[in-house]
Amino acid sequence: MRARPRTVAVMTVTLLGVVSGCVGGTEGSAPSSPAARATVSESASPMAYTSKAFAVPFTVSVPASLGTRPAQDTRTFLTWDRSESDKVRFLLPVVVYPPGKNEPVKPPGSYRAYLALLRGLTDYHAKWRDRVGTKVDGHPATLMTATTDWSLNGTLGCPEADGDAHDDCYGLQPEYTQRLAVIDIGARTPLVSWTTVNTDQQRDTAAEFARFEAMLRSVRFSDAS
């Protein structure tokens, strides 16, 4: 799919939880302002969710604003989708689409190599900021905020080997600002997690990003991971 140039508004994001990280979003019935959404989330206790099919099993505290039941829990993909612009995802990439390529390739074989892949996206209009090293349940991780002026379909990865870059895979998009974590799980591919905020519709990302980071702080991997 041909990328479309877009102008991305420059935004200031307050980084919360430097020692460990990450999340964002709200229910359709929640108040529209970030402050009101944060109040709603804080007033309802998060519920613990233990992954069912995900290949790297873990338990995470899920805020009421996302709902406790994920939209998908497969071997490579676990996601909560409350709306088009309110999502929290965990992905084990099976393949990735290099920028401008029509064929997928195997993802980088290590945590550091995957981070290098993301850094390389700056040559294709991606922008990274608020980057910080952290840990998720003791595992080294890098937390950062991503925007782009062009569609970068499939550049984060796909949960299936035959996924279409536009319809089945995940990458940076001009209308979204993403808070993203890359987690070293000691496997052939890292665990990638992110939340999205549609900044065409909403400029303030603080509440969603704080929620995401709180979820990451709550992650507890099982002994099997």
Side-chain angles (χ1 to χ4, degrees), residues 15-16 49 55-56 62 67 83 86 93 102 113 122 143 178:
L15 176 64
L16 301 178
Y49 178 81
V56 182
V62 183
S83 72
D86 186 10
N102 294 321
T122 57
L143 183 63
Q178 294 171 251

Side-chain angles (χ1 to χ4, degrees), residues 146-222:
T147 58
T148 181
D149 293 337
W150 295 73
S151 293
L152 294 171
N153 297 318
T155 50
L156 295 181
C158 313
E160 302 292 342
D162 58 353
D164 176 79
H166 182 273
D167 296 324
D168 307 311
C169 304
Y170 301 93
L172 309 185
Q173 299 297 333
E175 64 268 35
Y176 294 108
T177 296
Q178 294 171 251
R179 192 66 171 148
L180 181 143
V182 181
I183 307 166
D184 185 359
I185 53 174
R188 287 178 294 178
T189 184
L191 172 59
V192 188
S193 182
W194 68 93
T195 192
T196 60
V197 175
N198 188 329
T199 43
D200 279 356
Q201 301 174 0
Q202 172 188 326
R203 295 180 63 85
D204 191 346
T205 62
E208 282 79 2
F209 286 6
R211 185 186 64 181
F212 176 64
E213 295 181 14
M215 283 182 72
L216 288 188
R217 286 194 294 272
S218 76
V219 167
R220 295 295 179 268
F221 294 105
S222 75

